[in-house]
Amino acid sequence: MFTRDRRTTGEAAFDLFNVIVMILLCAFMLYPVWYVLVNSLNDGNDAMRGGIYFWPRMFSLQSYRVVFEDHSILRAMWITVAKTVVGTVTHVFFTAMVAYAYSRKELIGRKLYMFLGTFTLFFSGGLIPYYLLIRDLHLLDHFLVYIIPALFSFFNLIIFLSFFREIPEGLEEAAKLDGANDLMIFIRIIIPVSMPVIATIALFTGVGQWNDYFTGVIFINEPSLQPVQTFLYRIVSESGSTQLQSGSINRTVTMQSIKLATMVITTLPIVIVYPFLQRYFVKGFMIGSIKG
C-alpha cells in the first residue's frame, strides 16, 4: 500500500513537472508574438526608447490607422486573399482528381507514375530552370503565377490516395450499376465522403498560400500584384525606405511601428483560423496509417 502511494505521488509530481515545462515552453514560444503585438500598440516614438516587454507604455492605434489608410497595403491584402482562396480550391480539386485516377487499379502505368512522382519529392531542377519555365509560360507579372504552378502536389496526392483506398468499392460499383461514369462518381460520391482529407489538404494549401512571399519576390515586379507577405518582406528588407501612400503619418508613428503593425495584420487571420482547423492536421496524417 505504501509503495503504491509513493508511486502515485511520484507520478503526480512527474505530471505536474510536465505541465510546468509545457507552460514554460509555450510562454517562451509565444513571447515573440506578444512582444510584436505590444510594441505595435505603443506610441511609435515612445517605443524607440525601448523597455517595452509585457504591455504598452503609451497605448496608441495610430500605426494601425496608417496601415489601413495605405492603399498599397490594402491592395496587397486583397491579392493575398484572392490567391489563397483560388489557389486552395483549384489545388484541392485538381490534386484530388489526379489522386482518384491513381487509386484506380485499371490505370495503365500506375507504378511508373508513382515512381516518377516519388522521384520529384527528392529531386528537382532548381530555381533557375523553374524561373525559365515560368518565363516561357508567360506567367511573370501575372496573377496566375500564384495558381498554375501550385495546382498539384505529389505529397498531398499521397494523402488523398491513402484515404481513397479506404473507401468501400461497393459505393462505386453501385453507382456504376446506376449508369454513373467516373466523373460523376468522383464529384457526387468521392468528394462528399472525403471531406476530412479535403479539409486537411485545404488547410495545408491555405496556410502555404497565405504565408508565401517567395513567389512574389521572384516572379512579380508589378506592385499591384504583390501579396501582402511580399509587401511586408520588402518593407523589412528595405529598412524603412518604402514610401507609404497614406498622408496621415505624424510624429507618433515610426517606420518600425508600421512594420510591427503590418506584421500583426498579416499574421492575425491565419492565427485565428488555424486553431479551429489544427485537428485536421493530425487526422490527415493518421489517414491510412492503421489497417484492418
Side-chain angles (χ1 to χ4, degrees), residues 140-157:
L140 296 178
D141 286 329
H142 199 292
F143 179 78
L144 290 179
V145 76
Y146 301 121
I147 309 302
I148 294 179
L151 275 178
F152 178 75
S153 167
F154 195 80
F155 177 81
N156 291 341
L157 177 142

Side-chain angles (χ1 to χ4, degrees), residues 44-253:
N45 282 330
D46 179 71
M48 295 293 290
R49 296 164 45 201
I52 301 175
Y53 302 110
F54 297 104
W55 49 81
R57 187 164 50 217
M58 293 181 59
F59 182 82
S60 174
L61 295 175
Q62 186 68 19
S63 297
Y64 288 91
R65 187 163 71 89
V66 171
V67 169
F68 282 112
E69 288 180 353
D70 180 33
H71 299 296
S72 59
I73 296 180
L74 296 179
R75 182 174 59 244
M77 183 69 74
W78 163 247
I79 292 294
T80 299
V81 172
K83 81 183 188 72
T84 299
V85 173
V86 176
T88 300
V89 172
T90 54
H91 175 89
V92 169
F93 182 80
F94 187 82
T95 304
M97 185 169 56
V98 177
Y100 177 68
Y102 269 65
S103 67
R104 300 301 89 201
K105 296 179 180 179
E106 61 272 17
L107 177 66
I108 300 176
R110 183 175 61 169
K111 293 184 178 180
L112 176 62
Y113 300 149
M114 287 297 297
F115 170 77
L116 294 176
T118 305
F119 185 84
T120 63
L121 293 177
F122 300 97
F123 303 97
S124 66
L127 180 59
I128 294 178
Y130 183 55
Y131 180 88
L132 296 177
L133 175 63
I134 296 298
R135 185 198 63 184
D136 292 341
L137 291 175
H138 305 287
L139 292 178
L140 296 178
D141 286 329
H142 199 292
F143 179 78
L144 290 179
V145 76
Y146 301 121
I147 309 302
I148 294 179
L151 275 178
F152 178 75
S153 167
F154 195 80
F155 177 81
N156 291 341
L157 177 142
I158 294 175
I159 299 178
F160 270 120
L161 191 60
S162 299
F163 187 89
F164 291 161
R165 286 174 175 171
E166 296 181 354
I167 298 177
E169 295 182 359
L171 290 176
E172 301 179 38
E173 294 174 357
K176 289 181 178 179
L177 290 176
D178 291 336
N181 55 30
D182 289 332
L183 182 61
M184 294 176 62
I185 293 174
F186 174 70
I187 294 177
R188 297 186 178 181
I189 297 178
I190 301 300
I191 290 182
V193 301
S194 304
M195 292 311 297
V197 70
I198 287 177
T200 302
I201 303 303
L203 183 57
F204 285 157
T205 308
V207 172
Q209 283 279 11
W210 183 271
N211 292 329
D212 178 36
Y213 76 95
F214 188 74
T215 302
V217 172
I218 301 298
F219 303 115
I220 298 295
N221 292 319
E222 179 63 36
S224 61
L225 290 175
Q226 291 179 0
V228 69
Q229 300 295 350
T230 302
F231 185 87
L232 176 60
Y233 167 81
R234 288 181 171 166
I235 287 180
V236 174
S237 63
E238 292 172 9
S239 301
S241 62
T242 301
Q243 295 297 322
L244 299 180
Q245 298 177 7
S246 173
S248 61
I249 298 180
N250 56 42
R251 61 184 181 84
T252 65
V253 174

